[in-house]
Amino acid sequence: MSVQESTFHGFANPVDPTPAELRAWAYKPDSVPLASMPPDWDLLVSGDRLVLTLFELAMDASCPARRFALHCLYIYAADGIRTNFRAHPKRRFRKLVEQAERDGDELMKIWAHNGRVLLARPDLFVYRDWCEGGLVRENRRLG
């Protein structure tokens, strides 16, 4: 039985979900609506512990919570770049960007492109775009 076929019964600790819980929720997001999650849940889950799970979900065009996962990847990228990679390892970020460029669809290629642009020009950071979902909603490439 795959994760997509199983029933999701909620998070043991929504502030600190496991990768398996996040994955199960992502394929059944209506089971626990985002509005019922703790404030700034997107910021809470956008760290190193869950980034590989978020990346996997964002790479899956059939994942119902794909846009949420992509939004979290934007937060992760901005957090790493803006802290000069004190928050997240630069090597991990670069590997994710390279994999998105190589194997991703257009949404993931845009995320990778925007990550590279912000890396080269941190002054282009706009909170609304990177942390409030602007780049996900608008699906645009930074210049």
Side-chain angles (χ1 to χ4, degrees):
M1 178 186 284
S2 74
V3 171
Q4 292 88 334
E5 296 167 354
S6 64
T7 302
F8 179 63
H9 298 289
F11 298 99
N13 179 1
V15 174
D16 189 22
T18 67
E21 288 174 333
L22 185 62
R23 190 176 297 107
W25 169 81
Y27 287 98
K28 304 280 186 198
D30 293 338
S31 62
V32 181
L34 275 175
S36 71
M37 300 309 286
D40 297 322
W41 191 62
D42 53 349
L43 301 176
L44 293 172
V45 300
S46 297
D48 285 320
R49 186 167 169 271
L50 295 171
V51 73
L52 297 179
T53 303
L54 291 164
F55 186 81
E56 170 191 317
L57 297 170
M59 289 285 281
D60 182 358
S62 70
C63 177
R66 181 185 194 201
R67 288 172 55 87
F68 175 79
L70 183 60
H71 164 63
C72 291
L73 289 179
Y74 272 102
I75 293 170
Y76 181 85
D79 195 30
I81 293 166
R82 294 189 71 238
T83 63
N84 199 25
F85 294 98
R86 287 185 304 280
H88 310 297
K90 188 174 195 176
R91 180 181 170 109
R92 177 174 288 156
F93 170 70
R94 285 189 185 270
K95 284 186 173 195
L96 293 174
V97 165
E98 290 166 3
Q99 185 177 349
E101 290 170 336
R102 184 180 60 246
D103 303 327
D105 64 4
E106 189 62 16
L107 284 179
M108 292 303 293
K109 288 181 186 331
I110 291 171
W111 171 78
H113 167 83
N114 289 343
R116 285 193 185 274
V117 169
L118 189 64
L119 185 58
R121 299 264 326 272
D123 59 299
L124 293 178
F125 174 80
V126 175
Y127 188 86
R128 180 191 139 325
D129 287 342
W130 290 86
C131 300
E132 292 181 346
L135 289 171
V136 175
R137 282 189 303 277
E138 297 164 11
N139 193 28
R140 68 181 163 89
R141 288 178 183 263
L142 296 175

